[in-house]
Amino acid sequence: MWPLVCQTNKTITLYYVAIGVSATPTTLHHPNPLFTFINSPHTHTHFILYRQKMERLAFCSPSSATSAAAAAAATTSFSRLSFHHLRSRSSTISNAVLRPVSCSRFNLDGPRFNLFHPKPFLFNPLSKPTSRNPQSPKPITASSSSSPESDKVIVTTQPQPQGAKLIPLIISVSIGLLVRFFVPRPPEVTPQAWQLLAIFLSTIAGLVLSPLPVGAWAFLGLTTSVLTKTLTFASAFSAFTNEVIWLIVISFFFARGFVKTGLGDRIATYFVKWLGKSTLGLSYGLALSEALIAPAMPSTTARAGGVFLPIIKSLSLSAGSKPGDPSSRKLGSYLIQSQFQCAGNSSALFLTAAAQNLLCLKLAEELGVIITNPWVSWFKAASLPAFISLLATPFILYKLYPPETKDTPEAPAMAAQKLNLMGPVTKNEWVMIGTMLLAVSLWVFGDALGIASVVAAMLGLSILLLLGVLDWDDCLSEKSAWDTLAWFAVLVGMAGQLTNLGIVGWMSSCVAKTLQALSLSWPAAFGVLQASYFCIHYLFASQTGHVGALYSAFLAMHLASGVPGVLSALALAYNTNLFGALTHYSSGQAAVYFGAGYVDLPDVFKMGFVMAVINAIIWAVVGTFWWKFLGLY
């Protein structure tokens, strides 16, 4: 099958010609070869067409495994796929503009198609349309040009719904209205505080039900608080100058640098080379490599999608383990589950390993819980339980969710081949290593040097920009960072105002009185509140959203119940990382790993619950003695 491309102004037509050249397995060794990649300068649209998809939709001409005569005849007939909705006007396509794409440009044996290529295609570049054109797009029609009367395959695209989803919108707004107008206001709460609570609860309901994207819904809540004069403009936007929020934003840029330079990929590949002779060793290599890069790559989603998922998929495919297939249990399912469950412990190990960690300490500070030398204090308290849980998780899953393939003797050789293809460490990778060492050092010793964490991050980003590792377009295109800035600041601002207006104190005192009525000691209250905070995450699709909504309230409940402040703040923060593997929607990395197609949904929920219980036992038992030794209680 040879691709032929015809391109006119705002029109792209793809022709595929069947030829009589047999392809031996050694030539087409890739399981899903990419035939052509076209970048249209007129439409700025990227198209990737796969052989399997074309065969399924009958877009291809007859098989190349034909006789020479049949192959010669086949070259005169084409299968045509036209994208009519890209066409501004009809045009006549002559044979003069029909140009063949040289097969040498798509060498299947080259690094472009190598499973371990350092820059693989991770996701389909066909992004969702951003146009709000009310006209419905014309259907995509595929037909055979050899016979005008042949059947056509019509794929119609449904127009994207515009605006908010009606039912989630009604439910979210109704919750706020019910609290504001129908729930009696306690006498110790001011009308302003009660109204802000209603707006906050409506905002949180929208984060769970998603009538709009998170950032858009948070902006609506912010607008409502200003429009109703519940908050002044200055107080509503005060959190946008919060140091922790900007530290989180900059952490997204650091993660992009790891992915862009390929440094994270290189580190993980070395661990595969050293420990990958067995499936269990392979999982330990991947888990330990994530723990190593986590403090300098503070985005669990970026680590999952940009570093570890491509490696896992490549190893799995090479072992004959395919997504959405019974063969997925050979290797892929286990590696995905192991990495997914280990990620929470890697994130809990370091303060800078996840964005939500920084937010937790900021919210704790607003409630008067100050942790001195936070980076070191966090690491000391988390080190022993996190290391034990990190080492136990792959082995436990190896017994509870065993892979069919136990040995992977070819993995180290494949990793070595990939390292050879990547070549020596590049200048940008060395710059990335040096910058991250500088940033982590300043995070660790910043208090002694008088340098704030956000200033250290700003210095690191400035170095990356000055030396060209990142450019400003990289920062501008990191949409998740700016989206996080928008809705994070709204939630943090509202939570801070709820604390200032006395809502959090009132709620915590009510809970404390209930726990005291049950004659619970502070250790018992600590266990009940931690378990409640964990289980509520079944209702949330974001760890950071969970923190912004409930961390302050639960910390206040701990304090009102007599639980030591530093212990309460750190335990809730560690818990925030551990419930990231609870469901397929519980975190950013959960969506990445589940989307790979190797793990069935029931297995995600079952193993998520089982490992949650096991992690809770490990952290409770080990933490009880370790935190007592450190003097946290």
Side-chain angles (χ1 to χ4, degrees):
M1 184 67 63
W2 287 56
L4 296 175
V5 181
C6 175
Q7 179 174 330
T8 62
N9 186 30
K10 294 188 179 180
T11 303
I12 297 176
T13 305
L14 308 182
Y15 295 89
Y16 289 87
V17 184
I19 61 174
V21 179
S22 62
T24 62
T26 57
T27 302
L28 295 179
H29 62 277
H30 195 283
N32 194 12
L34 183 65
F35 271 87
T36 183
F37 175 82
I38 299 172
N39 180 12
S40 169
H42 301 292
T43 62
H44 303 288
T45 305
H46 304 280
F47 298 94
I48 290 182
L49 298 179
Y50 293 92
R51 190 179 88 178
Q52 291 180 351
K53 181 181 294 186
M54 291 189 299
E55 289 175 347
R56 185 166 59 253
L57 295 178
F59 286 163
C60 300
S61 294
S63 170
S64 60
T66 58
S67 63
T75 58
T76 61
S77 64
F78 306 97
S79 290
R80 175 174 173 174
L81 171 59
S82 299
F83 297 88
H84 298 285
H85 63 285
L86 298 177
R87 184 173 301 164
S88 59
R89 62 183 182 274
S90 60
S91 60
T92 303
I93 303 174
S94 64
N95 293 331
V97 297
L98 190 63
R99 56 182 176 86
V101 179
S102 173
C103 190
S104 62
R105 291 179 57 196
F106 305 102
N107 179 16
L108 298 180
D109 292 318
R112 180 182 180 92
F113 293 95
N114 192 286
L115 292 176
F116 281 110
H117 189 262
K119 301 292 183 185
F121 289 117
L122 301 184
F123 307 105
N124 191 342
L126 284 172
S127 57
K128 294 182 180 179
T130 57
S131 173
R132 290 290 184 179
N133 189 347
Q135 295 180 354
S136 302
K138 294 182 180 181
I140 299 175
T141 305
S143 65
S144 174
S145 61
S146 60
S147 174
E149 303 298 329
S150 60
D151 295 335
K152 293 184 178 181
V153 179
I154 302 228
V155 182
T156 58
T157 58
Q158 297 296 330
Q160 293 289 333
Q162 299 182 9
K165 302 173 186 175
L166 186 58
I167 294 179
L169 174 66
I170 293 175
I171 295 175
S172 301
V173 173
S174 298
I175 290 175
L177 294 175
L178 286 173
V179 173
R180 174 63 181 84
F181 295 106
F182 296 97
V183 177
R185 176 176 59 85
E188 58 267 33
V189 177
T190 64
Q192 179 190 8
W194 194 250
Q195 185 161 291
L196 181 59
L197 176 63
I199 296 173
F200 183 74
L201 291 177
S202 182
T203 303
I204 296 304
L207 296 183
V208 176
L209 300 175
S210 299
L212 284 173
V214 173
W217 185 252
F219 184 78
L220 262 63
L222 184 69
T223 303
T224 304
S225 66
V226 176
L227 186 65
T228 58
K229 301 186 185 305
T230 307
L231 296 176
T232 64
F233 185 89
S235 60
F237 282 84
S238 60
F240 281 85
T241 61
N242 189 297
E243 292 183 0
V244 171
I245 293 177
W246 279 101
L247 179 57
I248 293 171
V249 171
I250 295 175
S251 73
F252 281 94
F253 303 147
F254 284 163
R256 188 178 186 91
F258 264 88
V259 176
K260 182 179 179 180
T261 61
L263 178 59
D265 195 16
R266 184 184 295 273
I267 293 173
T269 305
Y270 269 112
F271 275 90
V272 172
K273 178 182 177 181
W274 296 332
L275 301 175
K277 291 184 178 180
S278 67
T279 302
L280 185 60
L282 196 58
S283 64
Y284 274 114
L286 293 171
L288 293 176
S289 61
E290 178 165 11
L292 179 64
I293 67 175
M297 193 174 184
S299 172
T300 54
T301 307
R303 294 199 301 266
V307 177
F308 293 101
L309 181 60
I311 293 177
I312 291 173
K313 290 180 68 175
S314 299
L315 291 168
S316 302
L317 290 172
S318 67
S321 180
K322 302 176 182 179
D325 188 82
S327 63
S328 63
R329 290 301 300 268
K330 284 185 177 181
L331 185 64
S333 296
Y334 168 74
L335 291 180
I336 289 287
Q337 280 280 22
S338 177
Q339 196 68 19
F340 180 32
Q341 296 296 332
C342 287
N345 290 290
S346 299
S347 299
L349 186 56
F350 302 100
L351 174 62
T352 52
Q356 62 268 12
N357 298 348
L358 304 165
L359 180 61
C360 287
L361 293 198
K362 178 61 179 179
L363 295 176
E365 184 179 336
E366 293 179 354
L367 291 175
V369 180
I370 308 298
I371 300 177
T372 58
N373 199 357
W375 204 96
V376 175
S377 299
W378 178 290
F379 176 74
K380 285 197 303 184
S383 57
L384 189 59
F387 273 127
I388 292 177
S389 187
L390 194 62
L391 293 175
T393 297
F395 180 77
I396 293 173
L397 284 170
Y398 191 78
K399 298 297 182 181
L400 299 181
Y401 195 74
E404 296 176 1
T405 301
K406 306 296 183 181
D407 298 314
T408 54
E410 71 283 355
M414 295 175 65
Q417 180 185 4
K418 180 181 178 180
L419 290 170
N420 289 334
L421 289 173
M422 295 175 73
V425 180
T426 63
K427 170 198 165 186
N428 284 348
E429 288 179 273
W430 282 119
V431 172
M432 196 74 203
I433 292 172
T435 304
M436 289 298 95
L437 288 176
L438 174 63
V440 172
S441 299
L442 292 178
W443 287 334
V444 174
F445 304 107
D447 284 355
L449 299 175
I451 300 177
S453 297
V454 66
V455 176
M458 292 169 63
L459 176 61
L461 178 59
S462 299
I463 293 173
L464 297 179
L465 290 171
L466 283 172
L467 298 181
V469 176
L470 292 175
D471 55 45
W472 191 239
D473 284 339
D474 291 325
C475 298
L476 292 177
S477 61
E478 194 65 36
K479 294 181 180 179
S480 56
W482 304 112
D483 185 54
T484 299
L485 170 65
W487 69 269
F488 239 29
V490 172
L491 286 183
V492 172
M494 285 189 180
Q497 292 300 321
L498 287 173
T499 301
N500 296 336
L501 295 174
I503 285 290
V504 174
W506 166 74
M507 292 177 63
S508 60
S509 63
C510 293
V511 174
K513 290 177 182 178
T514 302
L515 295 176
Q516 291 173 0
L518 298 175
S519 301
L520 294 179
S521 60
W522 77 256
F526 174 80
V528 170
L529 291 172
Q530 290 286 333
S532 301
Y533 181 76
F534 189 97
C535 293
I536 288 175
H537 193 66
Y538 277 106
L539 303 176
F540 283 87
S542 167
Q543 291 167 287
T544 48
H546 190 151
V547 170
L550 298 177
Y551 182 88
S552 296
F554 270 84
L555 179 56
M557 296 176 196
H558 279 75
L559 299 177
S561 301
V563 184
V566 175
L567 175 64
S568 304
L570 290 178
L572 284 172
Y574 297 149
N575 223 347
T576 301
N577 292 286
L578 297 179
F579 58 48
L582 202 56
T583 66
H584 66 296
Y585 57 84
S586 57
S587 59
Q589 71 266 26
V592 171
Y593 285 129
F594 177 71
Y598 277 97
V599 183
D600 295 330
L601 190 58
D603 290 334
V604 174
F605 276 85
K606 180 177 68 175
M607 298 312 302
F609 176 79
V610 170
M611 291 308 302
V613 173
I614 293 174
N615 277 319
I617 294 174
I618 293 175
W619 279 78
V621 174
V622 177
T624 298
F625 296 100
W626 181 240
W627 296 334
K628 179 68 174 178
F629 174 77
L630 295 177
L632 295 184
Y633 67 94

